[in-house]
Amino acid sequence: MNTLSVLLICCSMLFSCSPGTGNEKTYYSDFEVEIDTILVDSEDEILMAGSDIYTSGVTIDNKKLYSLDQKNFALEIIDTENYRLENKVYFKKEGPESLGTDYFYDLFPLPNERFGFTFYETYRIHDLKGNLIKEVKLDENWINGNLEGTERIELSSVDVHGNVLAGMHFDFDSFKPIMFLLDSEKEKVESIELPEFDKIKRYKITLRRNGGYLTHADPNVFIKFQEDSILISNSAFNDIYIYKWVTKELKHMTYNHQLVPSGKQKTYQNDSESEEEIIQIIYDISEEVDFTEFFRDELNDKYYRFAHEANYLEDKENPTYKVFMMVYDKKLKLIGEKELMTFESEVTPLFVKDGKVHFHLNMEDELGFIRIGLKN
């Protein structure tokens, strides 16, 4: 295996922070981080995950990374314990053993060598031979019976078995802070209102033609199944909902950061028929703080989250990203934060393994990871 163990940074910082509810006493946390890089052994295969990791996911134990090579109808399975390609599974483009589409949104690795994915208004589960195990059409009456007009559910996560689907309300011209849980076995829908997320609609930007909808850009809402809880966060603000899906308890938490704002703060025009104007608005929004989802570190019994702020040159090309790291205890109370470094490209955190957050790294079109962890 080719391995790069170059230590990029090892630093410590003393700072103050406030726990999640804002009511507890402010305290201090002192920690160091280590950052290194590692190259995945491609086994002489061409790994499209090196340059394109957009349709990917990790298994529940974080031991395997699945990434779809959409160009070649293949599933790349990466052994994240040994950092090597374990298998590249090719599927037929047509027929009963095909995946039924050539365009994919999200990918969900599942037990027993199965995987789920979404495309258009459909969720499917296949095995590694291409056999269709399950299909759920999101326009079925038991799902959208209470929706109106162009409203629909935009899926973003599934439970560990792939049977309970989670997504947010979506409409072309509006935003409603409602999460839906779809039990595909019982064909039941549960809706959970998230009123504190209503502020996200300020950053839904729509491009129109002749007064009608053409396309849009809006903040991400992250939904993560975590044992008996569901963590719901978003990219525009630092707050989080924790939903106990057995007891139906819903808790909202906010944070008082010292190094980054609590969220985006400026006011923007929400729609336009000018493509140039919309692009400029999106550039401006991205220069404000942007948050990732929360990542669980089981080894250290902590959670991590990252934020970045983009900085564009006058030509709007080759932006740099100032990246911050936040550390939380097992109850999701903030215990530390620090500025890491400035990256020359946007980096994507994927999973935590062995106490280190793994970010995607394109190493001259080879798959690599930037690994960030707490120094003991």
Side-chain angles (χ1 to χ4, degrees):
M1 179 189 300
N2 295 316
T3 304
L4 298 177
S5 297
V6 181
L7 186 65
L8 301 178
I9 184 172
C10 180
C11 56
S12 63
M13 183 180 294
L14 186 68
F15 51 85
S16 63
C17 61
S18 295
T21 62
N23 297 322
E24 293 86 356
K25 182 180 178 180
T26 299
Y27 61 101
Y28 292 81
S29 178
D30 182 21
F31 68 86
E32 294 179 329
V33 294
E34 291 180 320
I35 304 180
D36 65 8
T37 63
I38 190 165
L39 179 67
V40 171
D41 185 350
S42 65
E43 302 287 348
D44 296 324
E45 285 269 8
I46 296 176
L47 275 180
M48 293 304 294
S51 59
D52 180 1
I53 200 74
Y54 297 111
T55 310
S56 65
V58 294
T59 54
I60 188 66
D61 57 8
N62 292 322
K63 292 182 178 181
K64 294 180 182 180
L65 169 71
Y66 285 28
S67 181
L68 272 173
D69 174 359
Q70 301 195 35
K71 181 179 180 180
N72 297 300
F73 289 86
L75 181 67
E76 298 171 342
I77 302 176
I78 311 300
D79 174 359
T80 57
E81 292 192 294
N82 299 297
Y83 297 104
R84 56 179 292 274
L85 175 66
E86 179 179 292
N87 196 5
K88 186 160 184 174
V89 183
Y90 290 86
F91 298 97
K92 295 180 179 179
K93 294 185 179 181
E94 298 179 349
E97 295 180 352
S98 72
L99 300 183
T101 182
D102 58 0
Y103 191 77
F104 305 87
Y105 293 163
D106 298 298
L107 180 68
F108 312 108
L110 301 172
N112 302 317
E113 296 191 325
R114 298 177 177 182
F115 62 99
F117 61 89
T118 57
F119 66 97
Y120 302 112
E121 298 294 305
T122 304
Y123 165 75
R124 282 184 142 195
I125 296 177
H126 283 256
D127 63 20
L128 296 186
K129 294 181 180 179
N131 297 312
L132 176 63
I133 308 300
K134 172 181 284 190
E135 182 176 74
V136 179
K137 296 284 190 179
L138 297 184
D139 59 359
E140 294 179 23
N141 188 63
W142 71 271
I143 294 176
N144 67 7
N146 293 322
L147 300 178
E148 299 178 354
T150 57
E151 291 181 325
R152 61 184 176 88
I153 298 173
E154 193 169 61
L155 293 182
S156 62
S157 185
V158 300
D159 74 338
V160 64
H161 300 293
N163 293 326
V164 179
L165 321 180
M168 292 294 295
H169 171 277
F170 175 82
D171 195 5
F172 297 132
D173 295 307
S174 66
F175 173 83
K176 294 180 181 179
I178 303 174
M179 179 180 71
F180 294 93
L181 297 179
L182 314 178
D183 189 327
S184 63
E185 295 290 294
K186 299 178 181 178
E187 295 193 351
K188 290 185 178 181
V189 179
E190 180 182 1
S191 60
I192 300 96
E193 294 189 6
L194 310 171
E196 294 297 331
F197 279 13
D198 187 62
K199 56 185 177 288
I200 294 175
K201 67 185 180 185
R202 302 203 298 261
Y203 303 99
K204 182 181 177 70
I205 310 301
T206 303
L207 175 63
R208 300 187 181 279
R209 282 289 184 271
N210 301 319
Y213 170 90
L214 186 60
T215 188
H216 77 282
D218 52 9
N220 292 316
V221 176
F222 308 109
I223 303 175
K224 177 171 287 189
F225 287 85
Q226 192 77 59
E227 298 173 348
D228 65 340
S229 300
I230 301 176
L231 310 183
I232 313 112
S233 56
N234 68 85
S235 61
F237 297 92
N238 71 7
D239 53 343
I240 182 175
Y241 276 102
I242 305 168
Y243 181 63
K244 302 285 188 179
W245 58 328
V246 176
T247 63
K248 312 301 181 185
E249 176 188 359
L250 182 65
K251 180 180 181 180
H252 179 253
M253 298 178 69
T254 60
Y255 302 97
N256 296 320
H257 293 300
Q258 303 298 310
L259 301 181
V260 297
S262 61
K264 299 184 187 296
Q265 300 175 329
K266 297 179 181 179
T267 300
Y268 301 93
Q269 181 177 334
N270 289 103
D271 57 12
S272 173
E273 295 204 357
S274 166
E275 184 174 345
E276 291 75 17
E277 190 171 36
I278 289 293
I279 291 174
Q280 182 60 53
I281 293 171
I282 292 173
Y283 278 135
D284 293 342
I285 290 176
S286 68
E287 289 183 316
E288 293 199 72
V289 66
D290 201 83
F291 295 93
T292 69
E293 61 185 309
F294 287 77
F295 292 87
R296 174 75 182 276
D297 178 1
E298 294 185 358
L299 180 65
N300 295 302
D301 208 13
K302 290 180 173 60
Y303 286 88
Y304 306 124
R305 195 183 197 186
F306 297 84
H308 71 253
E309 297 170 344
N311 181 35
Y312 292 91
L313 301 177
E314 289 186 5
D315 59 6
K316 297 301 181 183
E317 293 184 358
N318 302 318
T320 58
Y321 297 86
K322 185 186 295 185
V323 178
F324 303 85
M325 179 179 183
M326 284 77 76
V327 182
Y328 308 79
D329 68 13
K330 62 182 179 181
K331 295 184 179 180
L332 286 166
K333 293 181 180 178
L334 181 65
I335 58 174
E337 58 184 313
K338 69 171 27 181
E339 181 179 341
L340 292 178
M341 63 174 66
T342 297
F343 289 90
E344 294 183 354
S345 61
E346 186 173 2
V347 290
T348 305
L350 299 172
F351 60 93
V352 180
K353 191 174 187 312
D354 300 329
K356 295 183 178 181
V357 185
H358 287 58
F359 290 73
H360 176 254
L361 178 62
N362 182 342
M363 302 176 74
E364 298 182 351
D365 288 335
E366 294 287 341
L367 175 60
F369 298 109
I370 302 172
R371 302 185 299 185
I372 301 179
L374 302 181
K375 185 178 181 182
N376 296 324

